[in-house]
Amino acid sequence: MPKNREQDVCEVKSVDKAKVMAVKKSMPSDRDMHNLSEIFSVLADPARTKIIYALSKEELCVCDIANILGNSISAVSHQLRILRNMRLVKFRKEAKRVYYSLDDRHINRLFNEGLKHVRE
Amino acid sequence: MPKNREQDVCEVKSVDKAKVMAVKKSMPSDRDMHNLSEIFSVLADPARTKIIYALSKEELCVCDIANILGNSISAVSHQLRILRNMRLVKFRKEAKRVYYSLDDRHINRLFNEGLKHVRE
DNA sequence: TGATTATTTGAACAATTGTTCAAATATAAT
DNA sequence: ATTATATTTGAACAATTGTTCAAATAATCA
């Protein structure tokens, strides 16, 4: 997203080297951190959190999801593509319709943990 | 972020009204959903997840946080402002330095739940 | 076959994001 | 007072996001 001209990034002097070393050492890998924020990104949009909530309750076709959210079908379909790419949802076709459902064990726990946070 | 010209949004016909009604009824409020995705947004950036992880281990000054992340001090300070505004971190001044620490019980559980997800 | 319905897709666009750079504060040391 | 150090702040900017619109598929029906 930014420019990252890789300049004066970290000629930054450490104040407490021991602490810094310890934290650096225990820090999860960049790869893990990247994946972690990626999964949180999915939940960082109200339309997507609503879709995930809805699908945690019922298997639904695109049309009914759009109806529940109050969004256009196209917008919902775009969001579903993101969820599909992240393998959070699966789908099956029935006649003209496509039915989506959750395809991830953990995502619901994440959702509920977040809701707890919101509600204090 | 978008335009939302509020057009043909939901002349969308419902296929299974019973399901749609049931899900709509149990759906958390728009306010809750907004707050929920807002808290997930905070974790949707690797720099911020790293800061949160670091502060879960140690109280740290801005300089040392920058050192741990390998980011500029300015970038870190901007991110800390976001975390401050969300009341996820608190700080105290000591001489010229400002020490930050976590100020939220739940955020760590959210982080760990997410990490579990990432690591399958 | 052609018409209808459900969904997907891609381009366009405004809004938002996260970083950099430079300048402003704040605090301590000389 | 002046200097040095630590942090914050605001403007600028490129990248990304999420929606709309129009057109493309897919599947069923007359």
Side-chain angles (χ1 to χ4, degrees):
Chain A
M1 192 170 297
K3 290 167 278 186
N4 236 325
R5 263 163 266 175
E6 199 81 26
Q7 186 187 359
D8 90 296
V9 167
C10 237
E11 40 188 64
V12 168
K13 292 196 181 182
S14 174
V15 169
D16 187 331
K17 291 200 181 185
K19 270 197 204 173
V20 168
M21 291 297 222
V23 173
K24 266 188 181 169
K25 200 159 183 178
S26 73
M27 177 83 65
S29 70
D30 264 26
R31 196 177 184 296
D32 275 358
M33 285 311 217
H34 172 85
N35 292 338
L36 185 56
S37 46
E38 192 177 40
I39 189 70
F40 283 125
S41 299
V42 173
L43 294 160
D45 175 74
R48 281 191 302 267
T49 52
K50 286 179 191 172
I51 291 176
I52 289 188
Y53 176 82
L55 296 181
S56 78
K57 296 293 166 187
E58 295 279 4
E59 186 197 46
L60 291 162
C61 68
V62 179
C63 177
D64 281 355
I65 297 173
N67 194 309
I68 289 165
L69 303 208
N71 288 348
S72 75
I73 293 202
S74 177
V76 167
S77 183
H78 279 295
Q79 299 292 14
L80 284 169
R81 184 161 47 85
I82 293 173
L83 298 175
R84 243 159 40 219
N85 291 344
M86 296 287 293
R87 312 207 179 268
L88 298 178
V89 300
K90 60 179 187 291
F91 62 95
R92 70 181 173 86
K93 296 196 167 193
E94 181 178 316
K96 276 174 276 186
R97 268 172 249 110
V98 181
Y99 282 87
Y100 282 83
S101 53
L102 279 196
D103 187 29
D104 186 289
R105 297 173 292 130
H106 293 302
I107 199 69
N108 238 308
R109 298 179 48 166
L110 215 47
F111 179 97
N112 287 321
E113 201 63 56
L115 201 54
K116 255 191 255 173
H117 184 281
V118 159
R119 291 171 166 168
E120 234 69 339
Chain B
M1 192 171 299
K3 291 167 277 188
N4 234 323
R5 263 163 267 175
E6 198 84 28
Q7 186 186 357
D8 88 300
V9 167
C10 236
E11 44 190 58
V12 170
K13 291 195 180 182
S14 175
V15 171
D16 187 331
K17 291 200 180 186
K19 269 198 204 171
V20 168
M21 290 299 221
V23 174
K24 267 188 181 171
K25 199 160 183 177
S26 73
M27 177 82 66
S29 70
D30 265 25
R31 194 179 185 296
D32 276 357
M33 285 311 218
H34 172 85
N35 291 338
L36 186 57
S37 46
E38 192 176 41
I39 189 70
F40 283 125
S41 299
V42 173
L43 295 160
D45 176 75
R48 281 192 302 267
T49 52
K50 286 179 191 172
I51 291 176
I52 289 188
Y53 176 83
L55 295 182
S56 79
K57 296 293 166 190
E58 295 279 4
E59 185 198 47
L60 292 162
C61 69
V62 178
C63 176
D64 281 355
I65 297 173
N67 193 308
I68 289 164
L69 302 210
N71 287 347
S72 75
I73 293 204
S74 177
V76 167
S77 183
H78 278 296
Q79 300 291 16
L80 284 168
R81 184 160 48 85
I82 292 172
L83 298 175
R84 244 160 38 220
N85 290 343
M86 295 288 292
R87 311 208 178 268
L88 297 179
V89 301
K90 59 179 187 288
F91 63 95
R92 69 180 174 86
K93 297 197 167 192
E94 181 180 316
K96 274 174 275 186
R97 268 171 249 110
V98 180
Y99 282 87
Y100 283 84
S101 54
L102 279 197
D103 188 28
D104 187 290
R105 298 172 291 130
H106 294 301
I107 200 70
N108 238 308
R109 299 179 47 167
L110 216 47
F111 179 97
N112 287 321
E113 201 63 56
L115 201 55
K116 253 191 256 173
H117 185 281
V118 160
R119 289 171 168 168
E120 235 66 339

